[in-house]
Amino acid sequence: MNSAKIEIHNLAEFSVIRSGGNSLDVSQSRGIIATDLRGATLYNKPDVLDKLLTPTTKNPGLPSMSQAFVDSLVKTIETSCAEQLKEIETLESQRKDDEEALYDQIDSICEKIEEEVAKKYGRKDPFRRVVFTGDKHEPIIPEIPTSAAGDAKAEARKPDYVVADVPLPKQGEALSEEYTESIIWRQCPSFMEVKAKAVLSPVRQDGGTAAKNTLAQGFDYAHFIFTERPFQRFVYGTFFCGNSFCVGYFDRCGIALTPLYKMQEEGLRNFILVILRMTHEMTAVDLGMDPNVEFAHYRDKPAQTFYQEVYPEFIITDPSDKSRSWHTYGDPLYTRHSIIGRGTTVWRTYNSLTTAPSILKVIWRSSRRTKEALVYEKICARLDACGATIPSYTSIARKIDSIDIISVTELRSRGIPIDADTGAPSTALKPSKLNGVKDRTLSCIWFPDFGRPVWQYRSPLELLRVMYQVIKAHKTLSENGVLHRDISAGNILIRVHAEYITDSVREPRPRNAARGGTSDEPQRLRKSAILEYDYDEHDAEGILTDFEFASIDPIAASDEGSRLGSRDGMSGTPMFMATELLNALINQMTIPRTAKFDLESFGYVILNAIYRNTLHPASPLAWTDSAAARKLIDEEYENLFGFTDLDDLKNRRGQVFFGLPRLFFPREDSDSDTDSEGAGTEKQKPWRISEEEREKMSQLGGILHLYKHLSARNNKVLAGILKAVWTYLRTMQPQFKRKLAPGEPPEDTVDAIIDSAVADISGSVPVQDVDHNMFLHMLERLLTFLGDQSVAQEDMIDEKTRIQRIQRAKQKEPRVYGMYPPAESFWKLK
């Protein structure tokens, strides 16, 4: 038994995660975010403004470095926008809250600032503007949502203004002309939210710690920027409230806020400088972009931008070894929709050192946590010491490497004044210790395994093979003292065969004129792409990844493994977490971690995968039924995996597993009758569904609509998997009391297989004895029914078999990831 204990980490990360990376809905209530941000915000920190207004290089040619120009600009705004400034004061003093009336005033001031700066210093590329979003298309996230409800909620969540990268205006086009093109979040490094009164600002003057709702809004907008611009290290947000403004700094450890600055006092000059810096001076790096990341460059192709139609390709360079870099292809494979916390993104890349495709994971890990690469080393050493092997080719990700880049503390200290007493940067912005996490470190991790998410399976057989392999690998690990502790849909991949293909040239360039001659420049790409080939469904392999939170029990008292995991805090993704763990977290208890909890998480992963695959329009198993039917399944999915906080998630589990007949199928409205004695009595009407339907509901609970849909479409195997896993999960709930009676159907039908598997699970096995063998036996029977009896016998696949599988995969059309797919002849040459 693993004895690692649970600590409570910051729950703000959980409240913004709705569906493991695919849902756009951040939280059903910003009040929940405000509560969860308690202790994560530093108030009244003028150092934030110092960071924003201090150029990283003392370039005298910058407008803000010219005292004369800034004084002249302030005077121009005071004169040209005098009416607007007066109206701002009037709106603050009146009783009525009239936020919309502020828009015209802010528009005039920002446009005048941009116009005066452009008149003196010209326009430069990349070009940035303050854009009013009120009548623009809603900023979007690249990932397609599976939730119509989440999509609708996102429509209402946009700031009043964004600072946006936009194309350079045409020659002679005045900046006073309103920018009318659609805006997407990817082109927005910053935002500005407007409130009618200063009292509605996010700044707290009362010493309280809970975030105000305005700050929760800003947190929401910053989340979109972090998601859409995954290499963003931090985000600035401006809050214009009544006759005052403040600036917020958002990063992976929390938020820091300036004091309120009044526009009639020092605030006007500061506001002018903020707009000037953001729109004209600051680079993408100054606004939070990782300096080790740049757009990929192609020969004879337009330079990439954040506002281009297709998702950009990036080059990430190792700051400690410039010869090592990664070229991303396509949008992220996975994005963790959170700010505070790890903020994980996963990319398909080309590795310049290995000259092969590789997966790159970018995370902000807790600075005190063991590096993931070291965890992998210890796991491999443990398996070797025990003489254990992982089934299949390798059902856990192979050898990885990693680098640490920078910590939040170091990042916050940059650009702020030196402390006169210590001679070191001020520590005023040092992040608070938040539920056991003092600091976070930006890390890049790469490994050679390539895969697509488990919810993108193409057939029931592929799903079953993948889950069977990773659970069998998990069994081997747990038998040898290794516990994963973070089983989630994002951590299980379906292996694909990936190849990199390119066409590049070296071209001469002039040397320094004083020296004469020429030199060769680095290779310039003309065409490049990553090809992904899917293995045959009978060859499908699963990969279990992300062992950052894994724990290793000691074999002996001196075993180094005893140190791994003992200091780690709460681990696991809440929506996939065992209910017993949720209860412990809610009650702030510590309980021993066992394999049983991971096994329950595997069950939630399978349910999640089936729902997401069914609902995704690009799935080969996608459906064409009515919008009403789809809405029912979408709501069912939200009931299972949507939540606002841990209490809500726990309560939803109780409802979907045991209370849904009452919750979703109430009786008809009651009538009031009068008996012979004149007393009022309640006449109970029948259920709105049949007795047969109600009995099925009592067994199938919250999956009934999807189960009926799959059955109606003659996809009995998927329906059967759904039913069996649901029963498995139901028996593992702490409140499970009764057993489901097994039936005796004919032995040659899929229903018989499922009912038999259900009986195996729910017959006479105590909940505490649920183990890997039970889960694997259930999957084995389903695989056998589908005619695949090989996966249970597969151990380590030899090289010959590996080559044969690749050859079969390459007979299919690949998926091509690359901005400039070359001509067909180019592929054939390679």
Side-chain angles (χ1 to χ4, degrees):
M1 178 185 296
N2 190 305
S3 59
K5 302 297 183 180
I6 298 175
E7 298 173 9
I8 307 297
H9 276 197
N10 180 36
L11 298 186
E13 179 174 6
F14 304 154
S15 64
V16 299
I17 302 169
R18 295 297 315 285
S19 56
N22 74 301
S23 173
L24 304 187
D25 193 9
V26 178
S27 173
Q28 293 177 340
S29 167
R30 283 180 176 146
I32 296 293
I33 294 179
T35 302
D36 288 343
L37 288 176
R38 186 187 303 273
T41 307
L42 303 176
Y43 292 101
N44 298 308
K45 299 296 181 182
D47 300 82
V48 172
L49 192 63
D50 290 336
K51 278 178 70 67
L52 195 158
L53 298 184
T54 303
T56 52
T57 57
K58 301 298 181 182
N59 181 355
L62 294 176
S64 66
M65 298 297 289
S66 169
Q67 187 72 28
F69 175 74
V70 173
D71 290 342
S72 171
L73 181 58
V74 172
K75 185 163 291 189
T76 299
I77 298 300
E78 287 176 335
T79 303
S80 302
C81 301
E83 291 184 11
Q84 287 80 9
L85 292 169
K86 182 179 179 181
E87 181 65 12
I88 287 172
E89 286 298 318
T90 301
L91 292 169
E92 169 65 25
S93 61
Q94 71 181 19
R95 279 185 147 185
K96 179 185 177 183
D97 288 352
D98 193 355
E99 179 180 312
E100 291 189 4
L102 278 172
Y103 297 154
D104 287 340
Q105 325 313 319
I106 295 171
D107 284 342
S108 297
I109 294 171
C110 289
E111 287 170 5
K112 192 63 178 176
I113 295 170
E114 293 174 2
E115 181 182 320
E116 291 298 312
V117 174
K119 189 187 302 181
K120 173 75 173 176
Y121 291 91
R123 302 165 179 174
K124 66 186 187 71
D125 197 14
F127 185 68
R128 235 176 264 120
R129 293 194 66 178
V130 176
V131 180
F132 178 58
T133 65
D135 55 357
K136 301 294 184 299
H137 290 293
E138 175 65 25
I140 59 173
I141 309 178
E143 193 172 13
I144 299 173
T146 61
S147 166
D151 200 18
K153 291 171 185 174
E155 283 293 317
R157 300 210 319 271
K158 61 178 179 180
D160 299 302
Y161 293 86
V162 290
V163 176
D165 292 323
V166 298
L168 272 169
K170 296 176 182 177
Q171 191 67 30
E173 182 179 324
L175 285 177
S176 57
E177 296 178 15
E178 185 180 4
Y179 186 77
T180 57
E181 298 298 320
S182 299
I183 295 290
I184 59 175
W185 274 111
R186 192 195 320 139
Q187 66 191 96
C188 306
S190 186
F191 67 88
M192 180 161 62
E193 179 64 11
V194 177
K195 295 297 177 188
K197 296 287 192 293
V199 71
L200 299 176
S201 81
V203 176
R204 294 201 70 115
Q205 308 287 359
D206 57 3
T209 58
K212 296 169 70 174
N213 285 339
T214 303
L215 186 58
Q217 273 187 272
F219 185 89
D220 197 356
Y221 305 144
H223 145 264
F224 279 113
I225 296 173
F226 276 112
T227 300
E228 181 72 9
R229 297 165 68 106
F231 294 108
Q232 202 79 11
R233 291 178 170 187
F234 57 84
V235 170
Y236 286 112
T238 306
F239 299 88
F240 197 109
C241 306
N243 64 348
S244 306
F245 87 96
C246 66
V247 176
Y249 176 94
F250 301 79
D251 64 20
R252 299 301 181 179
C253 281
I255 308 166
L257 279 172
T258 68
L260 274 178
Y261 301 102
K262 288 190 176 180
M263 294 293 285
Q264 291 294 338
E265 299 171 4
E266 78 280 17
L268 178 59
R269 186 183 189 88
N270 286 336
F271 183 75
I272 290 171
L273 284 170
V274 167
I275 300 302
L276 183 159
R277 287 274 296 145
M278 285 189 173
T279 57
H280 188 84
E281 289 186 359
M282 297 176 82
T283 64
V285 171
D286 295 331
L287 285 167
M289 184 77 170
D290 190 327
N292 303 302
V293 178
E294 62 179 347
F295 290 124
H297 300 286
Y298 282 87
R299 178 175 175 264
D300 300 329
K301 302 294 183 181
Q304 296 192 73
T305 66
F306 279 113
Y307 52 80
Q308 67 190 32
E309 185 176 350
V310 298
Y311 200 86
E313 294 175 10
F314 300 95
I315 300 291
I316 306 106
T317 303
D318 181 349
S320 62
D321 181 1
K322 300 295 184 182
S323 67
R324 179 161 58 181
S325 63
W326 299 267
H327 183 154
T328 70
Y329 289 87
D331 55 357
L333 283 166
Y334 174 83
T335 300
R336 186 145 184 144
H337 291 224
S338 61
I339 298 179
I340 299 175
R342 293 195 291 167
T344 307
T345 54
V346 180
W347 303 84
R348 59 176 65 84
T349 69
Y350 166 73
N351 188 322
S352 65
L353 277 189
T354 62
T355 63
S358 65
I359 293 294
L360 178 70
K361 181 168 74 169
V362 181
I363 63 168
W364 289 84
R365 66 175 180 84
S366 170
S367 298
R368 69 173 188 164
R369 187 177 292 282
T370 306
K371 289 185 180 181
E372 188 171 350
L374 180 58
V375 176
Y376 273 84
E377 288 180 14
K378 288 183 175 290
I379 290 173
C380 293
R382 168 57 60 85
L383 294 175
D384 289 342
C386 298
T389 58
I390 295 296
S392 188
Y393 173 55
T394 172
S395 295
I396 65 170
R398 289 175 284 173
K399 181 176 172 59
I400 67 170
D401 203 352
S402 67
I403 54 172
D404 287 345
I405 299 174
I406 194 171
S407 69
V408 169
T409 298
E410 182 182 350
L411 202 54
R412 287 192 180 191
S413 68
R414 294 183 174 179
I416 59 178
I418 300 297
D419 189 295
D421 296 328
T422 65
S426 168
T427 60
L429 298 184
K430 184 176 180 180
S432 304
K433 183 177 180 179
L434 193 62
N435 299 311
V437 178
K438 292 182 179 179
D439 200 3
R440 291 193 176 273
T441 299
L442 177 60
S443 299
C444 289
I445 305 160
W446 63 96
F447 48 94
D449 296 278
F450 241 74
R452 49 189 161 86
V454 66
W455 59 84
Q456 291 181 8
Y457 62 86
R458 297 161 305 150
S459 69
L461 176 58
E462 187 174 61
L463 174 64
L464 286 170
R465 281 185 59 93
V466 165
M467 293 308 303
Y468 183 90
Q469 289 174 349
V470 295
I471 293 171
K472 194 169 183 180
H474 186 276
K475 178 177 184 286
T476 301
L477 291 169
S478 62
E479 287 173 344
N480 290 279
V482 179
L483 197 58
H484 189 282
R485 304 200 307 168
D486 188 19
I487 300 298
S488 69
N491 291 338
I492 298 174
L493 299 177
I494 302 170
R495 189 184 300 282
V496 301
H497 174 68
E499 293 184 357
Y500 175 71
I501 190 166
T502 183
D503 180 16
S504 56
V505 296
R506 291 184 183 273
E507 293 182 335
R509 63 181 178 184
R511 281 189 184 274
N512 185 292
R515 298 181 182 179
T518 61
S519 67
D520 285 340
E521 69 173 2
Q523 286 191 347
R524 295 292 301 277
L525 293 174
R526 291 190 301 200
K527 309 164 186 174
S528 72
I530 284 180
L531 309 183
E532 283 187 2
Y533 296 91
D534 290 322
Y535 287 105
D536 185 85
E537 63 177 6
H538 290 277
D539 297 333
E541 300 171 6
I543 313 172
L544 183 58
T545 69
D546 198 350
F547 283 80
E548 181 188 358
F549 291 101
S551 62
I552 303 178
D553 280 347
I555 296 176
S558 60
D559 190 351
E560 282 290 316
S562 61
R563 299 181 185 177
L564 192 57
S566 60
R567 297 189 307 275
D568 293 345
M570 191 286 300
S571 62
T573 305
M575 63 187 297
F576 300 106
M577 193 176 284
T579 305
E580 193 173 338
L581 282 181
L582 286 179
N583 291 336
L585 283 171
I586 291 167
N587 297 312
Q588 300 189 31
M589 297 168 55
T590 58
I591 60 175
R593 298 294 294 267
T594 69
K596 181 183 77 171
F597 297 137
D598 279 3
L599 286 171
E600 185 174 342
S601 296
F602 278 121
Y604 295 121
V605 166
I606 295 174
L607 287 189
N608 183 274
I610 296 175
Y611 272 96
R612 291 175 72 170
N613 189 288
T614 304
L615 290 167
H616 201 293
S619 167
L621 304 176
W623 58 339
T624 56
D625 290 285
S626 69
R630 183 182 180 86
K631 185 172 183 293
L632 285 173
I633 295 184
D634 191 67
E635 290 175 352
E636 198 170 75
Y637 174 75
E638 288 292 319
N639 289 329
L640 281 164
F641 295 105
F643 64 98
T644 57
D645 58 15
L646 296 183
D647 276 305
D648 181 40
L649 180 57
K650 175 193 169 184
N651 292 336
R652 283 169 182 264
R653 291 251 181 106
Q655 290 174 345
V656 297
F657 280 114
F658 301 106
L660 274 179
R662 294 192 305 276
L663 188 64
F664 293 107
F665 294 93
R667 296 178 185 274
E668 297 285 356
D669 295 335
S670 301
D671 292 335
S672 181
D673 290 343
T674 303
D675 61 18
S676 56
E677 298 179 1
T681 60
E682 192 106 8
K683 182 179 179 181
Q684 193 123 50
K685 286 204 170 183
W687 290 82
R688 293 177 185 169
I689 58 174
S690 67
E691 288 295 323
E692 179 184 355
E693 198 84 339
R694 187 157 59 92
E695 177 58 28
K696 185 181 291 185
M697 190 65 183
S698 70
Q699 294 187 20
L700 297 180
I703 62 167
L704 181 63
H705 293 303
L706 181 57
Y707 180 82
K708 288 170 62 178
H709 162 71
L710 294 173
S711 299
R713 287 179 59 85
N714 202 29
N715 202 330
K716 293 261 185 184
V717 175
L718 272 179
I721 297 171
L722 195 70
K723 178 179 177 182
V725 172
W726 177 262
T727 306
Y728 170 83
L729 286 170
R730 197 163 183 261
T731 62
M732 297 188 78
Q733 301 307 302
Q735 63 267 53
F736 181 75
K737 300 220 179 344
R738 67 185 182 84
K739 308 285 191 299
L740 300 180
E744 296 183 359
E747 288 296 325
D748 58 349
T749 67
V750 68
D751 289 334
I753 299 293
I754 299 305
D755 288 343
S756 179
V758 167
D760 289 343
I761 294 168
S762 60
S764 58
V765 180
V767 173
Q768 61 269 24
D769 292 338
V770 171
D771 61 9
H772 292 88
N773 292 333
M774 179 183 296
F775 210 145
L776 292 171
H777 177 62
M778 174 181 70
L779 297 180
E780 277 180 25
R781 299 194 65 173
L782 291 166
L783 284 164
T784 301
F785 177 80
L786 291 174
D788 190 321
Q789 303 181 40
S790 62
V791 69
Q793 283 76 45
E794 287 180 1
D795 290 316
M796 299 300 289
I797 297 175
D798 58 35
E799 190 61 22
K800 181 180 178 181
T801 304
R802 166 67 34 199
I803 292 172
Q804 289 172 346
R805 289 188 171 184
I806 291 173
Q807 289 173 342
R808 285 194 289 270
K810 292 185 69 172
Q811 292 174 5
K812 304 175 183 177
E813 285 293 318
R815 287 183 297 278
V816 180
Y817 296 95
M819 282 185 57
Y820 302 109
E824 185 179 353
S825 59
F826 171 72
W827 300 111
K828 289 181 178 177
L829 284 173
K830 300 297 181 179

